[in-house]
PDB file of all heavy atoms in Angstrom:
ATOM      1  N   SER B 995     116.832  31.397  57.227  1.00 98.00           N
ATOM      2  CA  SER B 995     117.104  32.852  57.284  1.00 98.00           C
ATOM      3  C   SER B 995     116.254  33.471  58.369  1.00 98.00           C
ATOM      4  O   SER B 995     115.085  33.107  58.550  1.00 98.00           O
ATOM      5  CB  SER B 995     116.756  33.502  55.930  1.00 98.00           C
ATOM      6  OG  SER B 995     117.138  34.867  55.976  1.00 98.00           O
ATOM      7  N   LEU B 996     116.871  34.401  59.108  1.00 98.00           N
ATOM      8  CA  LEU B 996     116.092  35.173  60.079  1.00 98.00           C
ATOM      9  C   LEU B 996     115.915  36.546  59.475  1.00 98.00           C
ATOM     10  O   LEU B 996     116.923  37.171  59.095  1.00 98.00           O
ATOM     11  CB  LEU B 996     116.828  35.214  61.408  1.00 98.00           C
ATOM     12  CG  LEU B 996     116.112  35.888  62.590  1.00 98.00           C
ATOM     13  CD1 LEU B 996     116.632  35.327  63.902  1.00 98.00           C
ATOM     14  CD2 LEU B 996     116.259  37.391  62.597  1.00 98.00           C
ATOM     15  N   GLY B 997     114.693  37.004  59.422  1.00 97.00           N
ATOM     16  CA  GLY B 997     114.507  38.338  58.854  1.00 97.00           C
ATOM     17  C   GLY B 997     113.018  38.595  58.623  1.00 97.00           C
ATOM     18  O   GLY B 997     112.187  37.787  58.970  1.00 97.00           O
ATOM     19  N   PRO B 998     112.760  39.747  57.999  1.00 95.00           N
ATOM     20  CA  PRO B 998     111.359  40.065  57.683  1.00 95.00           C
ATOM     21  C   PRO B 998     110.858  39.175  56.562  1.00 95.00           C
ATOM     22  O   PRO B 998     111.612  38.374  56.026  1.00 95.00           O
ATOM     23  CB  PRO B 998     111.440  41.517  57.210  1.00 95.00           C
ATOM     24  CG  PRO B 998     112.827  41.693  56.703  1.00 95.00           C
ATOM     25  CD  PRO B 998     113.687  40.762  57.529  1.00 95.00           C
ATOM     26  N   ASP B 999     109.614  39.353  56.186  1.00 96.00           N
ATOM     27  CA  ASP B 999     109.023  38.475  55.156  1.00 96.00           C
ATOM     28  C   ASP B 999     109.797  38.523  53.841  1.00 96.00           C
ATOM     29  O   ASP B 999     109.881  37.502  53.131  1.00 96.00           O
ATOM     30  CB  ASP B 999     107.545  38.873  54.952  1.00 96.00           C
ATOM     31  CG  ASP B 999     106.760  37.696  54.395  1.00 96.00           C
ATOM     32  OD1 ASP B 999     106.860  36.599  55.010  1.00 96.00           O
ATOM     33  OD2 ASP B 999     106.117  37.849  53.370  1.00 96.00           O
ATOM     34  N   THR B1000     110.401  39.680  53.533  1.00 96.00           N
ATOM     35  CA  THR B1000     111.152  39.782  52.278  1.00 96.00           C
ATOM     36  C   THR B1000     112.388  38.869  52.249  1.00 96.00           C
ATOM     37  O   THR B1000     112.914  38.582  51.189  1.00 96.00           O
ATOM     38  CB  THR B1000     111.666  41.243  52.048  1.00 96.00           C
ATOM     39  OG1 THR B1000     112.436  41.609  53.183  1.00 96.00           O
ATOM     40  CG2 THR B1000     110.510  42.204  51.873  1.00 96.00           C
ATOM     41  N   ALA B1001     112.819  38.389  53.418  1.00 97.00           N
ATOM     42  CA  ALA B1001     113.975  37.506  53.484  1.00 97.00           C
ATOM     43  C   ALA B1001     113.697  36.187  52.766  1.00 97.00           C
ATOM     44  O   ALA B1001     114.631  35.412  52.518  1.00 97.00           O
ATOM     45  CB  ALA B1001     114.400  37.294  54.936  1.00 97.00           C
ATOM     46  N   ARG B1002     112.421  35.927  52.468  1.00 97.00           N
ATOM     47  CA  ARG B1002     112.096  34.765  51.606  1.00 97.00           C
ATOM     48  C   ARG B1002     112.901  34.776  50.349  1.00 97.00           C
ATOM     49  O   ARG B1002     113.240  33.713  49.810  1.00 97.00           O
ATOM     50  CB  ARG B1002     110.606  34.866  51.221  1.00 97.00           C
ATOM     51  CG  ARG B1002     109.674  34.151  52.098  1.00 97.00           C
ATOM     52  CD  ARG B1002     108.246  34.442  51.615  1.00 97.00           C
ATOM     53  NE  ARG B1002     107.314  34.312  52.718  1.00 97.00           N
ATOM     54  CZ  ARG B1002     106.866  33.129  53.142  1.00 97.00           C
ATOM     55  NH1 ARG B1002     107.223  32.039  52.571  1.00 97.00           N
ATOM     56  NH2 ARG B1002     106.067  33.063  54.189  1.00 97.00           N
ATOM     57  N   ASP B1003     113.164  35.990  49.818  1.00 97.00           N
ATOM     58  CA  ASP B1003     113.909  36.058  48.550  1.00 97.00           C
ATOM     59  C   ASP B1003     115.316  35.490  48.693  1.00 97.00           C
ATOM     60  O   ASP B1003     115.833  34.860  47.779  1.00 97.00           O
ATOM     61  CB  ASP B1003     114.009  37.529  48.082  1.00 97.00           C
ATOM     62  CG  ASP B1003     112.645  38.090  47.649  1.00 97.00           C
ATOM     63  OD1 ASP B1003     111.715  37.262  47.482  1.00 97.00           O
ATOM     64  OD2 ASP B1003     112.510  39.299  47.519  1.00 97.00           O
ATOM     65  N   ALA B1004     115.911  35.725  49.868  1.00 98.00           N
ATOM     66  CA  ALA B1004     117.250  35.170  50.107  1.00 98.00           C
ATOM     67  C   ALA B1004     117.180  33.663  50.167  1.00 98.00           C
ATOM     68  O   ALA B1004     118.056  32.946  49.624  1.00 98.00           O
ATOM     69  CB  ALA B1004     117.827  35.740  51.391  1.00 98.00           C
ATOM     70  N   ILE B1005     116.121  33.140  50.796  1.00 98.00           N
ATOM     71  CA  ILE B1005     115.940  31.674  50.852  1.00 98.00           C
ATOM     72  C   ILE B1005     115.675  31.120  49.471  1.00 98.00           C
ATOM     73  O   ILE B1005     116.280  30.128  49.071  1.00 98.00           O
ATOM     74  CB  ILE B1005     114.760  31.328  51.812  1.00 98.00           C
ATOM     75  CG1 ILE B1005     115.099  31.780  53.231  1.00 98.00           C
ATOM     76  CG2 ILE B1005     114.465  29.827  51.780  1.00 98.00           C
ATOM     77  CD1 ILE B1005     113.962  31.639  54.237  1.00 98.00           C
ATOM     78  N   LYS B1006     114.814  31.818  48.700  1.00 97.00           N
ATOM     79  CA  LYS B1006     114.477  31.354  47.361  1.00 97.00           C
ATOM     80  C   LYS B1006     115.723  31.286  46.468  1.00 97.00           C
ATOM     81  O   LYS B1006     115.843  30.409  45.611  1.00 97.00           O
ATOM     82  CB  LYS B1006     113.448  32.285  46.702  1.00 97.00           C
ATOM     83  CG  LYS B1006     112.056  32.185  47.314  1.00 97.00           C
ATOM     84  CD  LYS B1006     111.328  30.938  46.841  1.00 97.00           C
ATOM     85  CE  LYS B1006     109.966  30.823  47.540  1.00 97.00           C
ATOM     86  NZ  LYS B1006     109.344  29.501  47.375  1.00 97.00           N
TER      87      LYS B1006
END
Side-chain angles (χ1 to χ4, degrees):
Chain B
S995 185
L996 185 154
D999 205 51
T1000 57
R1002 266 175 206 281
D1003 292 346
I1005 297 174
K1006 289 283 176 193

